[in-house]
Amino acid sequence: MSDVDIRGISKRYDAKPVLVDLDLHVPSGSITGVLGPSGCGKSTLLRIVAGFVRPDAGTVRIGERVLDGHGRHVPAQKRGVGYVPQEGALFPHLTVAQNILFGLPRAERTGARRDEQLDLAELERDLADRYPHELSGGQQQRVALARALAPGPEIVLLDEPFSSLDTALRASAGRTVTRVLRNAGATALLVTHDQGEALSLTDQVAVMRDGRFVQVDPPAVVYGAPVDPTTAAFVGGGTFVDGIVPDTSGGTTVETELGRLPLSTPANGSVRVLVRPEQVEIAHDAPVKAQVLAVDYHGAQIVVELALRSGAVVHARGPATQPPAAGEQVGIRVLGAVRAYPRSSTGAGSGADTGGLAGTGGVPE
């Protein structure tokens, strides 16, 4: 497998810019997730790397080969790229074995090669003669991945591969596909709008907004230190509360309605503080008091909506044992360091929810 280097990629459709001067490096043998909302341009980027779409500017290199740029465009079939589209796109009239071996020269379509790919994709060998409609959604995805890996591509591209699966199956299919890619030593680029997938399945997350990358970092950094409030809102759940960094603290603590909190990075002046729901602990001996507005159940965990004395709302996430009741007064404390942004950068009122509590990127489903 090879690394992938994308430099200065831009693309317009009519007069509308879809991709704007994108740079991205995907290290060999790693999985990079391109995360963004629908319409931000992430699938267009994948199709450019695959060779289905030509960029207006910039270069795409896989290993030592320039595929786009400097007057060169290598067609899709000569790029050495494996592509897994949404829903797998298996040939319905072909068996599992025929689907997997479809892209190989006839001389390589052997039983041994079939079994090798079935084993790699963690598929039982007795599935070889079945047809796609006889498989589960997760099995179909693994067949599509085995087909993409069979020719030995330099990179595997996955375009929203789990979007058609239900929540429980999506999680297990994601873990299996990631394991298969790692066992194969594959370099992979995964496009998704699901924050949970991007954070849990990849080595690097490239957050895209309006055709630009706003942050490219390991998952822990993207979640723990989002580059701006909009990224914080998109990646995970949380609430912004007002704060003041005292001159005497040297930028290391912030005074808020939730108490004096340590900062993960230095700040100064009037700020907005991002508080993740897993940081809020309900404890009757805690000094800050709040009223329970609602309790939402998510299997073994709950998310509790809490109103502070000012009316600002925060959320606490924790185990579903002995949940508080709506209307109850409880004590709360914030655990760990928080991240602050200049107050003018959020455009939100006091206690504004970032909107990240919905979907798999916020509360557990």
Side-chain angles (χ1 to χ4, degrees):
M1 296 292 173
S2 302
D3 69 331
V4 180
D5 200 59
I6 296 164
R7 295 293 157 195
I9 288 294
S10 296
K11 181 65 181 177
R12 285 178 173 266
Y13 287 120
D14 296 325
K16 181 182 179 182
V18 178
L19 301 177
V20 183
D21 199 25
L22 292 183
D23 292 338
L24 180 64
H25 182 73
V26 182
S28 177
S30 71
I31 303 173
T32 289
V34 178
L35 173 66
S38 297
C40 72
K42 55 189 185 295
S43 289
T44 299
L45 174 64
L46 208 69
R47 291 174 65 81
I48 285 174
V49 177
F52 303 148
V53 174
R54 297 189 69 166
D56 296 331
T59 61
V60 176
R61 179 184 57 77
I62 296 180
E64 299 300 320
R65 297 187 301 137
V66 175
L67 305 183
D68 279 297
H70 308 299
R72 180 178 175 82
H73 174 74
V74 176
Q77 67 273 19
K78 295 183 179 181
R79 292 197 168 204
V81 169
Y83 188 78
V84 181
Q86 293 184 31
E87 302 181 18
L90 299 177
F91 299 113
H93 63 293
L94 299 183
T95 66
V96 166
Q98 290 168 334
N99 265 285
I100 290 174
L101 301 177
F102 180 81
L104 297 178
R106 288 191 178 275
E108 296 181 26
R109 299 180 192 179
T110 63
R113 189 64 173 273
R114 173 202 63 202
D115 291 345
E116 177 187 346
Q117 294 306 125
L118 287 169
D119 293 345
L120 176 63
E122 301 183 13
L123 290 161
E124 295 80 5
R125 292 185 181 183
D126 61 7
L127 297 178
D129 294 326
R130 294 192 189 181
Y131 289 88
H133 71 273
E134 300 177 295
L135 305 177
S136 70
Q139 289 171 330
Q140 290 180 25
Q141 282 298 337
R142 279 180 278 160
V143 173
L145 181 59
R147 182 179 63 187
L149 288 170
E154 294 188 69
I155 179 174
V156 178
L157 308 177
L158 302 100
D159 189 1
E160 300 273 9
F162 315 114
S163 60
S164 64
L165 305 181
D166 61 51
T167 301
L169 185 56
R170 186 186 308 139
S172 62
R175 288 191 296 270
T176 302
V177 166
T178 301
R179 188 166 59 245
V180 170
L181 289 168
R182 296 199 188 284
N183 288 341
T187 305
L189 193 58
L190 166 70
V191 159
T192 181
H193 66 274
D194 187 289
Q195 304 97 320
E197 284 179 8
L199 294 174
S200 64
L201 302 181
T202 68
D203 304 298
Q204 173 179 254
V205 179
V207 182
M208 182 179 281
R209 186 164 67 239
D210 298 329
R212 295 174 170 85
F213 287 136
V214 295
Q215 185 169 8
V216 181
D217 275 311
V221 176
V222 170
Y223 185 80
V227 69
D228 58 32
T230 304
T231 302
F234 187 67
V235 182
T239 303
F240 285 115
V241 295
D242 289 339
I244 297 290
V245 179
D247 291 339
T248 57
S249 78
T252 60
T253 64
V254 58
E255 294 284 358
T256 74
E257 190 177 0
L258 293 165
R260 175 174 280 200
L261 308 176
L263 289 168
S264 59
T265 55
N268 58 76
S270 297
V271 295
R272 308 285 292 162
V273 176
L274 174 65
V275 181
R276 298 290 195 189
E278 64 271 17
Q279 291 184 275
V280 180
E281 178 187 48
I282 297 175
H284 293 291
D285 63 342
V288 178
K289 302 302 177 183
Q291 182 178 26
V292 177
L293 299 179
V295 179
D296 295 331
Y297 288 85
H298 301 270
Q301 289 195 314
I302 57 173
V303 173
V304 182
E305 186 176 3
L306 301 153
L308 304 177
R309 295 190 187 280
S310 68
V313 174
V314 296
H315 296 85
R317 176 164 52 205
T321 56
Q322 298 182 327
E328 184 179 347
Q329 289 283 333
V330 297
I332 61 173
R333 63 169 60 96
V334 176
L335 307 175
V338 295
R339 188 168 180 84
Y341 302 90
R343 190 172 299 185
S344 61
S345 69
T346 65
S350 179
D353 192 332
T354 66
L357 287 173
T360 56
V363 298
E365 291 186 330

